[in-house]
């Protein structure tokens, strides 16, 4: 278990949307996930974290604590209907 990188100025809904992406990326690495499910979570995430520099910062922080890359999962989804990064 680890602490997820969050911005404590976010609303509850924002935290839920960011956590949904973190959980979807974990699923991509641990059991596989559909492109549709991952990208739905990603679209909600980028509404919260809308700048590329912030997205990169949160991806790096998430990767440090989990070992999983948001960027790699999203890039894999661009060319595949099923994402399995095990």
């Amino acid at each position: 278990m680890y602490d997820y990188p969050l911005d404590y100025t976010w609303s509850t809904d924002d935290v839920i949307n960011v956590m949904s992406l973190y959980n979807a990326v974990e699923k991509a690495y641990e059991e596989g996930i559909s492109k549709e499910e991952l990208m739905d979570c990603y679209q909600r995430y980028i509404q919260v974290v809308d700048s590329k520099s912030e997205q990169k910062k949160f991806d790096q922080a998430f990767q440090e604590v989990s070992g999983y890359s948001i960027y790699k999962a999203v890039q894999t989804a661009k060319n595949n209907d099923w994402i399995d990064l095990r």
Side-chain angles (χ1 to χ4, degrees):
M1 193 67 179
Y2 42 84
D3 291 326
Y4 292 97
L6 300 170
D7 182 330
Y8 293 100
T9 64
W10 290 338
S11 70
T12 301
D13 285 342
D14 290 346
V15 170
I16 289 168
N17 287 330
V18 171
M19 289 296 299
S20 292
L21 178 66
Y22 292 160
N23 292 330
V25 171
E26 289 171 340
K27 194 172 177 181
Y29 277 87
E30 294 171 2
E31 61 190 75
I33 188 171
S34 72
K35 174 181 187 170
E36 182 179 342
E37 185 179 350
L38 178 70
M39 295 310 289
D40 178 56
C41 293
Y42 181 68
Q43 291 304 316
R44 288 183 280 136
Y45 167 79
I46 63 174
Q47 290 175 354
V48 177
V49 184
D50 57 354
S51 83
K52 290 288 185 189
S53 63
E54 286 293 299
Q55 291 170 19
K56 187 174 183 178
K57 180 181 94 171
F58 280 100
D59 185 18
Q60 288 173 341
F62 179 66
Q63 192 168 1
E64 284 178 19
V65 297
S66 70
Y68 303 149
S69 168
I70 296 168
Y71 177 80
K72 184 175 180 182
V74 170
Q75 289 302 310
T76 302
K78 289 183 179 181
N79 298 316
N80 299 283
D81 290 332
W82 184 256
I83 298 89
D84 189 341
L85 299 170
R86 288 181 272 185

